Amino acid sequence: MRIVVKQNTPPRLEAPEDFTRFSIALDERLQGTEALALAPVADFKSEEGTHAWVRPDAIRALSAMAGDPEWDAGFAAMCAFAREHGWIGPNGGIRAHIDYLPETCPVSADEFRRAMRKFASGVCIVASGKGADRRGMTVSAFSSVSAEPPMVLVCLNRTSSTHDAIISADAFSVNILGGSQEDVAMRFAGQGGLRGADRFTDDAWQDAEGGAPVLATSHQSLVCTPVSSHQAGTHTVLIGQVIATGDTQDSSALVNYDGVIKATTAQPSAIQ
Ligand SMILES: Cc1cc2nc3c(=O)[nH]c(=O)nc-3n(C[C@H](O)[C@H](O)[C@H](O)COP(=O)(O)O)c2cc1C
C-alpha cells in the first residue's frame, strides 16, 4: 500500500490490499514543508531524512477495506511485522519511506496500473547469492534488451527487502516460471511471510555459474552479470549481460495478465 499526498488534495491510500510494501508518495512541490503536508497522516522530522512515521489509525481511516476481517487481519500482521523489525516509532507510527512525485503527473498510479494490466508478461524469479545469503523476488518487469551481446533488464522496486542484495551481487539469475509454478511465484512475492534465504525451500535451486542460484525446474533460466543500473521512479532498472542459459523445462509458461497469473500452453512458434 502507498499513501499519496498531493498539494491541495486530501491524502489517499493506494493498493490497500498490498501488505508487502508500504511507502509515502509526496508531491515534490511539498519538499521542505513535509511536516505540515504529512501532518494528517504521519509525523515527520527533517533530521530523519526521507522517511516519516505513519499513524495506523490514519491508514485505517483512509482504507475503504477497513472493517473487512481479512483486511484487518492483513493490516494487523503488517503492523506486527513492522514491530518485529523495529519499524514502529515511539508514538506507534509505522516507518515509511518518502518518494517524491514529479510535479506534473497527469496519470495516476492506479490509472497506470490498470493500463499495464492489459500487457501480458511472463513471471520470473530474480535471484542472487549463495547459501544463507540467497535472495530472490518475483518479477514480471523483465525484458530482452539486445542479442549481440545478449542483454536483459529487470525492474526492481527499491522498497523491496531483496532489492539491495540483487543490485550489488556479482551475478544474478532470471528464472522464467513454468505454468505449474504459481506457488513459487507467490512465495517469492512475499505470500506466506517467508523472507530472505527461507524462500528457497525447493531442492531444485542449484548454485550456477557466477554464484547465482538457478531453479532447475523453471521453464527457462538465464544467468547474468550486471552491466548497469538506473534509478527510475520507485524502481531500479538493472541491465545484465547473459553469461549462461539453462535447459527449457515444461511446455507451458506462467503468464501475468489482467491481475491474474495462470499457465499458458506454448503454441508451435510462428515468429522466429
Ligand atoms: C506476478 C507478480 C509480478 C511482480 N513483478 C514485480 C516486478 O516486476 N518488480 C518488482 O519490484 N516487484 C514485482 N512484484 C512484487 C514483488 O515480487 C514483491 O513485492 C516481493 O515480495 C518483493 O520482495 P521482498 O518481499 O523481499 O520485499 C511482483 C509480484 C507478483 C506477484
Side-chain angles (χ1 to χ4, degrees):
M1 66 180 71
R2 183 167 89 145
I3 297 165
V4 181
V5 180
K6 288 190 181 166
Q7 209 168 32
N8 305 324
T9 320
R12 68 192 166 78
L13 187 67
E14 273 180 353
E17 76 291 350
D18 183 355
F19 297 110
T20 63
R21 59 187 71 253
F22 185 63
S23 63
I24 295 171
L26 185 65
D27 188 323
E28 70 176 8
R29 288 169 293 182
L30 297 168
Q31 205 157 10
T33 59
E34 286 93 341
L36 190 63
L38 295 174
V41 287
D43 300 320
F44 174 86
K45 292 193 181 67
S46 52
E47 64 273 19
E48 289 180 340
T50 55
H51 70 263
W53 302 95
V54 181
R55 293 184 296 281
D57 283 347
I59 301 170
R60 278 190 210 96
L62 290 177
S63 172
M65 298 170 84
D68 173 311
E70 204 177 317
W71 188 88
D72 289 347
F75 185 59
M78 188 181 99
C79 294
F81 185 81
R83 189 171 298 283
E84 258 172 56
H85 287 76
W87 300 331
I88 299 284
N91 297 331
I94 309 169
R95 193 177 194 276
H97 185 266
I98 303 171
D99 295 312
Y100 290 92
L101 288 178
E103 197 174 317
T104 51
C105 207
V107 175
S108 74
D110 282 345
E111 285 169 322
F112 173 73
R113 282 196 197 96
R114 211 175 306 126
M116 291 307 294
R117 281 160 65 116
K118 301 300 175 193
F119 180 62
S121 59
V123 183
C124 315
I125 308 297
V126 177
S128 68
K130 273 186 180 174
D133 292 330
R134 286 186 296 186
R135 296 291 179 271
M137 64 186 276
T138 303
V139 167
S140 266
F142 163 64
S143 176
S144 160
V145 173
S146 148
E148 292 181 75
M151 291 164 103
V152 295
L153 68 78
V154 290
C155 301
L156 308 175
N157 196 315
R158 283 197 299 283
T159 62
S160 155
S161 62
T162 310
H163 171 274
D164 293 358
I166 292 178
I167 290 297
S168 55
D170 292 336
F172 66 92
S173 65
V174 180
N175 303 275
I176 302 170
L177 296 181
S180 60
Q181 294 180 307
E182 187 181 335
D183 58 327
V184 184
M186 296 321 293
R187 185 176 345 121
F188 279 83
Q191 197 179 71
L194 292 180
R195 295 228 150 201
D198 292 343
R199 286 183 183 161
F200 293 75
T201 52
D202 196 320
D203 290 341
W205 283 101
Q206 299 165 355
D207 285 331
E209 208 174 316
V214 165
L215 183 60
T217 52
S218 67
H219 195 39
Q220 177 70 58
S221 62
L222 302 98
V223 181
C224 309
T225 50
V227 172
S228 61
S229 65
H230 310 269
Q231 296 211 349
T234 52
H235 282 54
T236 298
V237 182
L238 173 64
I239 298 182
Q241 176 153 349
V242 181
I243 56 165
T245 61
D247 296 330
T248 305
Q249 310 288 332
D250 198 346
S251 59
S252 70
L254 198 60
V255 171
N256 181 21
Y257 175 68
D258 218 5
V260 177
I261 55 175
K262 61 179 180 186
T264 185
T265 305
Q267 301 294 321
S269 58
I271 304 168
Q272 296 298 326

